[in-house]
Amino acid sequence: MGISPSKRVKSSLSNSPEFDSACTSAFSHCLSLTEHGFDGVFPFQLATASDHLYQTLRHDSSHSLVLKWVPSPPSRSQVDSALKAVTRSDSNATLGPAQFKQWAVELFAGAVVANATKDLMVRVPVGVAGIAGLGAASRSGKDMVVIAIGGYALGVATSIWLGLQ
């Protein structure tokens, strides 16, 4: 299927004008909270920035990845993980506009992939149980049930992977 889901989502977010606009808005919002006294966003402001980004992406744009795969704002642990991925050394420094966008891409790509993975982990076992139950009730051959389960699992995985664009 080619490129990994995480890279696919990061690429989609990075190349999205709506996402870029939302990042600019959130960055400006954080600067206004400090009355433009600093050149960047402090790490303690990132939870607020995450919520602002989420609200902007959910309501002011039509970014399908966020609408489909991120039902609630990213958690504080996701915010911190994205910060660690972006700022490998000095975690007390402010994030400039480019680094802020890199953090936002990392944050929302992680949230999208995590929720898509959760969906996969729910849909496949439920479907497999249903197919196995129908196979047992209809007394179908074991080989036919295994083929149906494999086809179903592959179909669900492909559907979710294709939905990450």
Side-chain angles (χ1 to χ4, degrees):
M1 286 189 193
I3 142 179
S4 75
S6 180
K7 287 181 184 176
R8 186 179 180 112
V9 172
K10 284 180 184 178
S11 174
S12 176
L13 292 173
S14 295
N15 297 327
S16 167
E18 293 94 1
F19 191 80
D20 193 41
S21 174
C23 285
T24 302
S25 172
F27 186 80
S28 296
H29 175 72
C30 289
L31 289 182
S32 70
L33 291 175
T34 59
E35 298 178 355
H36 298 276
F38 302 95
D39 292 337
V41 175
F42 286 99
F44 68 84
Q45 293 177 289
L46 293 178
T48 301
S50 169
D51 291 343
H52 188 276
L53 268 168
Y54 177 77
Q55 294 302 323
T56 302
L57 291 169
R58 290 289 289 187
H59 300 292
D60 296 342
S61 75
S62 60
H63 204 282
S64 62
L65 282 174
V66 175
L67 290 173
K68 182 174 183 174
W69 296 110
V70 187
S72 62
S75 68
R76 182 61 193 219
S77 65
Q78 289 173 312
V79 169
D80 293 341
S81 292
L83 177 63
K84 286 179 187 174
V86 171
T87 61
R88 303 247 182 233
S89 58
D90 186 14
S91 63
N92 292 325
T94 60
L95 278 69
Q99 200 172 29
F100 181 83
K101 183 178 179 189
Q102 186 182 6
W103 165 81
V105 167
E106 188 73 34
L107 175 67
F108 279 90
V112 167
V113 171
N115 287 324
T117 302
K118 272 192 236 176
D119 190 39
L120 181 68
M121 294 309 202
V122 168
R123 287 173 56 187
V124 169
V126 169
V128 166
I131 292 169
L134 285 172
S138 66
R139 297 182 183 190
S140 298
K142 182 174 73 169
D143 293 339
M144 187 61 100
V145 172
V146 169
I147 290 171
I149 288 172
Y152 173 78
L154 181 62
V156 169
T158 302
S159 168
I160 289 174
W161 188 84
L162 290 174
L164 296 176
Q165 0 186 7

